[in-house]
Amino acid sequence: MSVVQASLAMIMAMLSTAAVVRAAPQFALRDTAGVVHREEEWSKSRAVVIFFTTTDCPLSNSYVPEMNRIRAAYGPLGVGFYAVQTDITIPEVEVQKHSREFGFTFPLLLDPKQILVRKTGATATPEVALLSNTGNVLYLGRIDNRVVDFDNRRPAATESYLRNALDAVLAGKPVVRQRTDVVGCAINIVG
C-alpha cells in the first residue's frame, strides 16, 4: 500500500468514525409513561416541536389545548411533538399526574439535566422550539400572540408564530421570523 493509499484509508476511517459519533443519540429521556426517547427519533420526522412547560405555570397550562390542536394538525404531516418539564424540582409523580389531568397528546419528557433547555436556549414557559430533524433550531419563541403580558390576554391569537414557522418548513422555505420574545414563567437553569 502506498503512502497516498494509506493516508486516504486513514482519512476515510476518521470520517467514518466522525459520522458515527454525530449520529449517536445525545440524550435518552423518559416520558411520563416511562418510554425512553432519543434524539435519533427526530430523523424520522420532517421537523420536531418541543414545548417547554411546567406544572405550576398558569400561562403554560393555559396553552396545553392549543399545543394539542397544533399536534393534531401537524403530526399527520410528519412533525414530531414533545413537551419538556423544565422545573427539575417537581417530583416525577406530580409531572405524571399533570400530564394526565391536562391531557397532553404527545410525550411529556422528564429532563433532569435540562439537556433540551440548554440545546435550544429556551428561557421561559410556555416557549416552543421548532427544530429540523437533525436538531438545528429553526424557530424559538412564543406559540402565538394570545398572551400580550401576564395580565393582558387577547380573546384569540392574531399571530400564530409556530404555525407560520411550521408551514414554512413543511413547504421547504426558510422560517421568516426565527425568534420572538416570550411572556411566561422563567426557566430556572440549574448548574
Side-chain angles (χ1 to χ4, degrees), residues 27-37 55 82-88 90-96 99 107-116:
F27 63 82
L29 301 173
R30 275 186 313 105
D31 66 22
T32 55
V35 177
V36 176
H37 299 271
T55 61
Y82 304 88
V84 172
Q85 168 62 31
T86 61
D87 185 342
I88 63 172
I90 306 289
E92 183 176 335
V93 68
E94 286 184 38
V95 180
Q96 291 169 334
S99 178
L108 175 53
L109 303 176
L110 305 166
D111 190 358
K113 294 183 181 175
Q114 296 177 312
I115 294 166
L116 295 177

Side-chain angles (χ1 to χ4, degrees), residues 57-73:
C57 179
L59 291 177
S60 177
N61 292 338
S62 74
Y63 265 98
V64 175
E66 179 61 8
M67 293 174 193
N68 287 336
R69 285 190 289 271
I70 293 170
R71 196 240 12 110

Side-chain angles (χ1 to χ4, degrees), residues 29-184:
L29 301 173
R30 275 186 313 105
D31 66 22
T32 55
V35 177
V36 176
H37 299 271
R38 292 178 173 77
E39 189 170 355
E40 64 194 13
E41 289 176 28
W42 296 356
S43 66
K44 299 171 188 161
S45 301
R46 293 177 67 190
V48 176
V49 171
I50 302 174
F51 294 109
F52 295 94
T53 66
T54 190
T55 61
D56 58 356
C57 179
L59 291 177
S60 177
N61 292 338
S62 74
Y63 265 98
V64 175
E66 179 61 8
M67 293 174 193
N68 287 336
R69 285 190 289 271
I70 293 170
R71 196 240 12 110
Y74 291 91
L77 301 177
V79 178
F81 285 85
Y82 304 88
V84 172
Q85 168 62 31
T86 61
D87 185 342
I88 63 172
T89 66
I90 306 289
E92 183 176 335
V93 68
E94 286 184 38
V95 180
Q96 291 169 334
K97 179 181 176 189
H98 177 75
S99 178
R100 284 189 309 273
E101 288 179 354
F102 280 84
F104 284 83
T105 60
F106 45 88
L108 175 53
L109 303 176
L110 305 166
D111 190 358
K113 294 183 181 175
Q114 296 177 312
I115 294 166
L116 295 177
V117 168
R118 294 172 201 278
K119 179 176 184 61
T120 62
T123 60
T125 66
E127 188 165 12
V128 63
L130 171 60
L131 289 77
S132 69
N133 65 358
T134 58
N136 295 322
V137 178
L138 304 173
Y139 170 76
L140 179 67
R142 295 180 182 204
I143 296 168
D144 59 34
N145 71 346
R146 182 172 51 98
V147 175
V148 179
D149 205 345
F150 282 99
D151 296 327
N152 185 2
R153 299 178 192 189
R154 293 178 174 90
T158 60
E159 190 83 40
S160 297
Y161 304 120
L162 176 58
R163 287 175 185 264
N164 293 343
L166 280 163
D167 289 343
V169 168
L170 295 176
K173 298 178 181 175
V175 176
V176 175
R177 193 165 186 182
Q178 297 175 355
R179 299 269 193 274
T180 56
D181 293 332
V182 178
V183 175

